[in-house]
Amino acid sequence: MQKIILDTDPGVDDTMAIAYALAHPDIELLALTTVFGNINIDFATRNAQYVLDVMGADSVAVARGASLPSVQSPLPHADFVHGADGLGDVYPGSQPGKPAADATQLRADTRHSQVDSKDAADFIVDAAHQHPGEITLVAVGPLTNIAEAYRREPELPSLVAGLVIMGGTVDEPGNVSPVAEANFLNDPHAADRLFAAHWPATVVGLDVTHRIMLTDSHLKSLDHNGGHSGSLIWQSSRFYVDFYTRSGAARDAADRGDEPQCAMHDAAAIAYLVMPDAFTIESGPARVIGEGIAIGQLALDRKGYAYSVPHWQNRPTTHVCMAVDAERVRQDFLQTIINYHQK
Ligand code: BDR
Ligand code: CA
């Protein structure tokens, strides 16, 4: 069993990652730590509680994290991708673009009413001390909480089993600029600080997540056979799929008459944990650009050159997923959730 803490800004694809982690027999999900990103921190935390409740996992801890990036001013939330409530406007009584209630009101009707008294960064540090070398941090939102935990406990990289990050892109075009992916653009300075630390750190970015698309047929199979988790994924994905059919490769597919589809980004980070051999890795020192026209870009030294500019000296190795057996990952994701709910 791999113990994980999932640092998340739920989020439609974050919900897919939560369902996959809960269902996988090799993963023990210790906690969700929440961060701003797809939505503000109130909704992110409320959504984490709600998703756990719906999935019958209210014993999983929730710790609230950062509401703002570590250095830069906040960017607008991605409500046009994930809905006004971050979950595709799924709360009872919601309409597209109109969440039923604000996060404070929604908190009153949840079973999972306890949010940990520690903030996300302290929760991560304390958990790492309690289980030295056992926990993998899986970060699927902006990297603010993880960087703050590392600031508070500089030994964190040696106290955890590893760090897996959904974010960034090397060859694939970005999803928020030609070179930047959303989680890295939301806090590029936090991401860059983490790549200066000596973890085993692996990036699962758009180079692979844009290859692993889910069609409406896949999502419908979860709705029919995946219990409450599958139904929540189906419902929350309606808004998200609609966004995808209006952008990028999924729009091109829709124009060709293919089924509506979407990326399962954050769930791919869970897939990396349970089937790393489905991914092809390239490794080298990595940096994230903090300003200018390339802000948020992941730069990876794939050649291993001994560059003399100071920005590239003494940087540890980061592993980046560059190719994936998409069908294997997709089937494992679907079957794991379905098997879990048919037990
Ligand atoms: C990432 O950004 C968020 O919108 C998604 O939840 C995912 O973590 C994809 O770029
Ligand atoms: Ca996310």
Side-chain angles (χ1 to χ4, degrees):
M1 289 283 266
Q2 302 192 58
K3 290 182 172 41
I4 72 166
I5 292 176
L6 187 64
D7 190 70
T8 172
D9 58 340
V12 175
D13 58 315
D14 302 70
T15 300
M16 297 176 188
I18 295 166
Y20 194 12
L22 283 172
H24 204 287
D26 297 344
I27 290 185
E28 183 186 355
L29 178 61
L30 296 181
L32 302 181
T33 50
T34 61
V35 63
F36 76 94
N38 290 325
I39 203 71
N40 68 41
I41 191 62
D42 286 335
F43 264 117
T45 307
R46 176 65 187 81
N47 292 350
Q49 296 174 288
Y50 179 75
V51 169
L52 290 172
D53 282 352
V54 170
M55 296 183 182
D58 38 335
S59 61
V60 173
V62 173
R64 178 186 166 103
S67 57
L68 295 170
S70 56
V71 175
Q72 69 184 15
S73 302
L75 301 169
H77 299 298
D79 56 356
F80 54 98
V81 184
H82 296 267
D85 64 12
L87 289 182
D89 300 330
V90 287
Y91 285 109
S94 294
Q95 290 167 9
K98 276 192 166 184
D102 70 21
T104 320
Q105 289 170 286
L106 287 165
R107 194 171 297 138
D109 65 12
T110 181
R111 292 199 307 277
H112 199 124
S113 52
Q114 291 303 314
V115 172
D116 204 278
S117 56
K118 286 177 273 206
D119 74 0
D122 274 352
F123 188 97
I124 290 167
V125 169
D126 286 1
H129 279 286
Q130 275 164 26
H131 306 279
E134 288 183 45
I135 298 174
T136 300
L137 303 176
V138 183
V140 297
L143 289 146
T144 321
N145 290 337
I146 313 287
E148 177 59 17
Y150 174 47
R151 191 189 69 76
R152 293 182 196 175
E153 173 48 279
E155 297 303 318
L156 186 64
S158 60
L159 286 168
V160 296
L163 170 64
V164 176
I165 296 171
M166 190 284 128
T169 188
V170 178
D171 288 340
E172 173 75 2
N175 58 2
V176 281
S177 88
V179 295
E181 178 281 332
N183 288 339
F184 281 17
L185 185 69
N186 268 315
D187 195 342
H189 304 90
D192 191 54
R193 279 208 301 284
L194 294 178
F195 294 137
H198 290 262
W199 336 70
T202 306
V203 170
V204 182
L206 302 183
D207 296 289
V208 289
T209 66
H210 275 175
R211 306 278 92 75
I212 318 166
M213 302 300 283
L214 297 175
T215 65
D216 265 359
S217 299
H218 297 127
L219 294 161
K220 237 174 246 164
S221 75
L222 287 180
D223 187 29
H224 293 154
N225 307 309
H228 294 306
S229 298
S231 294
L232 180 59
I233 290 171
W234 166 257
Q235 286 161 25
S236 67
S237 66
R238 298 306 78 211
F239 190 98
Y240 182 72
V241 168
D242 187 56
F243 164 77
Y244 268 88
T245 55
R246 288 181 279 108
S247 69
R251 180 192 56 202
D252 299 343
D255 289 347
R256 286 195 304 269
D258 293 355
E259 263 198 280
Q261 51 191 269
C262 65
M264 55 180 262
H265 302 288
D266 294 346
I270 302 297
Y272 175 77
L273 275 181
V274 295
M275 46 169 66
D277 58 328
F279 294 81
T280 306
I281 301 276
E282 293 195 42
S283 302
R287 298 224 54 165
V288 179
I289 315 304
E291 61 190 350
I293 58 170
I295 186 169
Q297 181 175 17
L298 169 63
L300 176 69
D301 170 15
R302 288 189 272 179
K303 295 290 186 193
Y305 292 154
Y307 294 115
S308 57
V309 284
H311 310 88
W312 287 95
Q313 286 172 3
N314 304 318
R315 303 284 295 186
T317 294
T318 295
H319 307 292
V320 180
C321 296
M322 295 301 298
V324 62
D325 181 342
E327 186 54 19
R328 191 174 153 211
V329 167
R330 190 167 32 237
Q331 287 310 322
D332 190 74
F333 166 74
L334 297 170
Q335 274 312 315
T336 299
I337 294 173
I338 290 170
N339 292 345
Y340 181 71
H341 285 281
Q342 292 189 341
K343 263 198 301 199

